[in-house]
Amino acid sequence: MRVRGGHEIDRRTPIRFTFDGRVIEGFQGDTVASALMAAGVRLVGRSFKYHRPRGLVTAGSDEPNALVTTGQGAEQRPNTRATMQEIWPGLEVQSQNRWPSLSIDAMAVNDLVSPFLGAGFYYKTFMWPRSFWEKVYEPAIRRAAGLGALSGDSAADRSERAFAHCDLLVIGAGPTGLMAALTAARAGADVILADENTRPGGRLLSERIEVGDEPGAEWAARAAAELAAMPNVRILSRTTVTGAYDGGTFGALERVALHAAPGAAPPECFWRIAARRAVLAAGALERSIAFPSNDRPGILMAGAARSYLHRWGVTPGKRVAIFGNNSDIYRTAKDLSAAGVEIAFVADTRPGESGKGDWPVFQDARVVATRGRRGLSGIKLDHSGGTAQLRADALLVAGGWNPAVHLTCHMNGRPVWDEAIAAFVPAPGAVPGLIAAGAAAGRFSTAACLADGVRAAGEALEELGYSLRGRPDLPEAEDAPYDITPLWTVKAPGRAWLDLQNDVTTKDVRQAAQENMTSVEHMKRYTTQGMATDQGKGSNVQALAVLADATGRGIAATGTTTFRPPYVPVPIGAMGAGARGEGFAPRRLSPTHAACVARGAPMIEAGLWMRPSYFPRDGERDWRESCDREVGHVRHAAGVADVSTLGKIDVQGPDAGRFLDFVYANGMSGLAPGRVRYGLMLREDGHVMDDGTAARLGDAHFLVSTTTAAAAQVMAHMEFVQQAYLPDLDVAFSSVTDAWAQFAVAGPRARDLLDRVLDRPVSWDGWPFMSCGDVSVGGVPGRLFRISFSGELGYEIAVPARYGGALFEALVARAEDMGGGAYGMEAMNVLRLEKGFLTHAEMHGRVTAFDIGLQGMLSAKKDFIGKGAAARPGLLDATRERLVGLRAVEPEDRIVAGAHLFGETGSEGYVTSAGFSPTLGGFIGLGFLRNGPERYGERLILKDRLRRIEAKVDVVAPGPFDPEGGRMRG
Amino acid sequence: MRIECPHCGERDLREFTYRGHALALSRPSEGASAEEWDDFLHNRDNPAGATQDLWRHDPCGAWLVAERSTTTHQVRATRAVRGGEA
Ligand SMILES: [Zn+2]
């Protein structure tokens, strides 16, 4: 029912939205919850397990019942709190967990069989038979006990992430937070003030409280305006701080544009805030009292009812009853009565207490039963004078306040029981740099909150070395004592709910205790208390009290469960914003990327790089035909391949040779300038890390090449070796991978092809195998290396990256004139397999130099990384799985990587790489086999049971093509 | 979590790569016994409390030693591997 007032709404702007297809009209500033309440809609959802009809309970992010789904398709958002979702024209809201409709829910039959569905039901019932769990029980349970569903459409990745730094993060903008922010901001500190509501003010917006000589809401607006005008303050509204992490890092979820139709603005933004200090001014959450049938629509928190009244000008009923154990009940009656609502009665659980008013007050009262199928209609009361049956359409419950201690527990801190307020308060210093203040610290009066905000900010600023100038004067405000006599449950027949979302009752908790689940953590898991999306914000402490009572311990001794981040659910789409698809990792493009794409080459991922798989030509039916042709270019004419992605590390300094001697297993300092050497790097544990070449460009200048995959790892490794072990060497190095474009030019006519682009021809004698030096290409200085990864006469030519595209085009065009052309990754792989050259398919981290037949490269003359460990006897055992070549026996048989090699004793090895060799006319491969090199000539069975492949293979020496290497050396 | 790079100042955890205990700095000399290599390569304590970690600050390439508490994650101090006493 709409009444007067409401700080949040603009009555000149009506807004229409739909709830389960029904058009509802509210005002600009309404939440779905306040608009539904204004429209008299009481039934907003069904409970998780029993499908009980449920209504609004709170007015904030702690709402357990009113979870709804908004939008459709890619914009569909399940489990949205109706209390936090502001309405906008055209908003579509659907209720959840009901079928076929909210008012007629077939699954409500669960409620009738509820005696069988109590705590531990799943554990006890679905034990046997095991196969039934996956096929029968779980799908049925999932259908019956559900939250909202995802649409299945790929969500648009429109959310954002952001980073911020500040001196002081103030969490919550109620009286405490506003005073803390003012204190810090006036002292000149960088302040971020984060608050989960639309506007600052906190409880000042929800109560009739004067601050100084003006209404609290007006004071809050003025304070916020002053802060907003200061350059050192950022106010984050609609932003919930969700987690406290190491080193003063906080996560926060900002609802940037969820209050408007989807447009250009991101729906949400996930903030990572690095704060030197923080003040927790998150206030307190009101808790209920567990009385029989306390879950009917129309039964809600008294503080929430005051929020609905003062913030949105709505009330939950025309004739309301109030039940509670503290002084809030009288404040609630006064406020609602002033708004013209009839007060059915005030039921005070305390004996001998009675506030004044024009309504019946019952003392020592207990609500023992409620009536109303889909919404409250009547209440039965026991009280000091007997019993009473009364009519009411809403019951407002005030069970006391729990400080919002959650963030202080995110780093293992345990809150402390405070008997005076019958609640847990934060343990001081639980999160380094975070100071709890105001209601979050258990100080509930407005005057205490205002003062505590100044105190907390002052402490933080002092620690940061700020002088406290311009400290705000403390305005006058109410300082009423918080008078509570705790009452957790009403002992009367009937089910009394604790966790409304997960349908946990007091009986479930007592049963857990009876079955010896007396530890609070066991009780939680047995009953699922507090495990719903609201994480038991409104019910955990009551559940502890029930457990404490059932086990005969005090609440302090019973202890709490662990609060973990996030404080409210954070969509993965917001936390991982921007990190989907191509945003997941950077994409590195070679200078030839455009040229390769223009030639129709499918580009495939190689680490972060995109590389051409093959270059299709007209008439070729599949990749194999292209690959076979490209292999032929290299074997018979000249091929050109982009190898720019290989890692290149430029190493300079008088001690460069000595440094590389220590990094490589083989010697490098003896390499003559102008020469290139193959090198092997080990890890310190004696296994192969990477291979590549080192080219000595000058006395004190080397260029190290790495594989594409290991480039970053090798760079980090070299930095570690230098900084940790060889800090005194005069050497420096830098990655130059991106600075140079580099192309393999290979084939019998490779030299001929190079001569067509180089300014001076490549002399045969001047460029022997494994030589390097400077060249000039169209006036551009470049480098030439005579090295080969194909087994043919081969060169690699490098030019500054910006000339790469042009040189590639020139080389490919001339190669095509000569009957050759570009070749891609597939052909490169076949060429190296034919030669038995290795990649990281073989150097996969578990192999040693011994395993790949390169033990002889390990220098005996010097120490190097991995030397000690590589000498361990177990790594030199002949029975280890060692490198072999493989050839399919039958021409039609395939060899596939990942297949096992079966001999007489079963699997004796595996295949690492394979491909079709057009040169040899059959499938070839590389793999590892026990006693490998001793078994050339043996015939084994290859089996891939996943792909159902079986073939006979012969074990051969790796690299069956041109084993003497005459073609490569010339 | 935030870590102080000796060159770049306090930076976010995600700029760093972890590499285990700083024991890796005490590399046995050539010819050390198998037991010494075993200790160096494999054997690590698992303290509840103070430990010394190796981290790399990826943007600048500096390796550093962080004195860190395994129970609170607090990084008490950092120093560069190069030039810092081991
Ligand atoms: Zn750095």
Side-chain angles (χ1 to χ4, degrees), chain A residues 210-557:
Chain A
E210 300 271 307
V211 175
D213 48 10
E214 60 192 324
E218 281 172 30
W219 177 86
R222 258 193 330 102
E226 181 188 336
L227 289 164
M230 296 173 84
N232 52 331
V233 177
R234 182 202 289 268
I235 299 179
L236 290 173
S237 288
R238 299 187 175 99
T239 302
T240 308
V241 175
T242 56
Y245 304 93
D246 294 313
T249 304
F250 293 85
L253 182 67
E254 181 184 9
R255 307 186 308 283
V256 181
L258 287 176
H259 57 287
E268 288 169 300
C269 178
F270 188 72
W271 290 84
R272 290 171 176 87
I273 301 170
R276 297 173 70 199
R277 290 291 182 278
V279 169
L280 179 68
L285 301 173
E286 198 170 18
R287 64 197 184 207
S288 188
I289 294 170
F291 54 86
S293 302
N294 60 339
D295 70 329
R296 290 190 203 284
I299 302 177
L300 63 155
M301 307 312 305
R306 297 197 301 279
S307 291
Y308 283 113
L309 174 65
H310 295 303
R311 291 176 67 187
W312 295 285
V314 293
T315 79
K318 295 189 171 83
R319 180 179 152 86
V320 307
I322 300 163
F323 175 49
N325 59 10
N326 66 80
S327 40
D328 273 357
I329 49 179
Y330 301 105
R331 176 205 302 234
T332 308
K334 270 181 216 149
D335 286 8
L336 284 162
S337 176
V341 176
E342 186 188 349
I343 308 298
F345 63 83
V346 174
D348 194 329
T349 65
R350 299 166 296 178
E353 296 278 345
S354 81
K356 283 195 215 82
D358 302 328
W359 43 75
V361 175
F362 298 102
Q363 294 171 9
D364 202 7
R366 304 286 185 272
V367 173
V368 294
T370 66
R371 269 189 299 122
R373 180 76 189 105
R374 285 184 202 125
L376 183 77
S377 59
I379 299 159
K380 189 177 172 200
L381 212 57
D382 280 356
H383 57 90
S384 55
T387 61
Q389 300 243 26
L390 292 142
R391 199 172 47 77
D393 53 4
L395 173 58
L396 315 181
V397 185
W401 294 86
N402 292 324
V405 300
H406 306 70
L407 288 171
T408 68
C409 303
H410 285 180
M411 290 174 68
N412 249 354
R414 295 282 169 168
V416 182
W417 182 251
D418 182 344
E419 201 68 50
I421 59 168
F424 285 99
V425 294
V431 169
L434 176 75
I435 303 166
R443 298 178 186 103
F444 291 150
S445 80
T446 307
C449 285
L450 294 166
D452 215 28
V454 176
R455 172 204 55 97
E459 277 179 30
L461 291 177
E462 220 160 284
E463 288 174 17
L464 296 177
Y466 280 93
S467 63
L468 292 178
R469 55 195 154 80
R471 186 190 277 244
D473 293 331
L474 272 182
E476 296 259 320
E478 61 85 20
D479 199 13
Y482 172 64
D483 184 7
I484 181 170
T485 306
L487 177 79
W488 307 103
T489 61
V490 173
K491 293 199 167 90
R495 283 179 289 168
W497 266 260
L498 296 164
D499 185 328
L500 290 167
Q501 196 173 123
N502 264 359
D503 270 333
V504 179
T505 64
T506 53
K507 190 182 151 211
D508 293 324
V509 174
R510 289 188 209 285
Q511 188 192 330
Q514 212 166 46
E515 299 189 11
N516 211 25
M517 307 286 172
T518 51
S519 145
V520 60
E521 298 285 1
H522 287 159
M523 180 276 285
K524 167 179 170 174
R525 280 147 189 88
Y526 196 56
T527 61
T528 72
Q529 163 64 43
M531 289 167 73
T533 64
D534 66 334
Q535 296 282 289
K537 287 190 183 68
S539 58
N540 274 346
V541 177
Q542 289 107 287
L544 293 177
V546 175
L547 182 68
D549 182 54
T551 56
R553 296 171 294 185
I555 293 174

Side-chain angles (χ1 to χ4, degrees), chain A residues 684 867-874, chain B residues 28-43:
Chain A
E684 194 70 279
K867 184 175 190 178
R872 289 178 288 170
Chain B
S29 50
E30 206 183 350
S33 69
E35 287 70 28
E36 281 175 87
W37 280 108
D38 187 33
D39 273 344
F40 170 68
L41 286 170
H42 304 125
N43 296 332

Side-chain angles (χ1 to χ4, degrees), chain A residues 150 165 241 246 281 303 309 334 424 432 434 540 607 658 660 676 783 792 806 837 842 885 954-955:
Chain A
L150 296 165
H165 298 256
V241 175
D246 294 313
L309 174 65
K334 270 181 216 149
F424 285 99
L434 176 75
N540 274 346
R658 281 178 63 199
L660 292 179
V676 184
R783 289 169 181 166
E792 296 297 330
F837 295 151
E842 284 72 41
D954 284 332
V955 180

Side-chain angles (χ1 to χ4, degrees), chain A residues 80 108 110 156 223 421 503 534 621 646 654:
Chain A
T80 299
N110 276 9
I421 59 168
D503 270 333
D534 66 334
R621 282 162 303 177
L646 267 65

Side-chain angles (χ1 to χ4, degrees), chain A residues 650-652 671-676 694-704 740 772-774 783-785:
Chain A
D650 197 86
V651 185
Q652 297 190 35
L671 188 66
R675 300 292 298 171
V676 184
R696 190 159 200 170
L697 303 175
D699 271 339
H701 190 185
F702 287 80
L703 184 69
V704 163
W740 294 87
C772 65
D774 293 335
R783 289 169 181 166
L784 191 67
F785 310 86

Side-chain angles (χ1 to χ4, degrees), chain A residues 246 684 719 723 725 867, chain B residues 14 24 27 30 56 63 73:
Chain A
D246 294 313
E684 194 70 279
E719 282 163 347
Q723 293 169 35
Y725 304 141
K867 184 175 190 178
Chain B
R14 283 169 298 171
R27 188 174 186 272
E30 206 183 350
R56 176 176 185 261
W63 284 92
H73 295 177

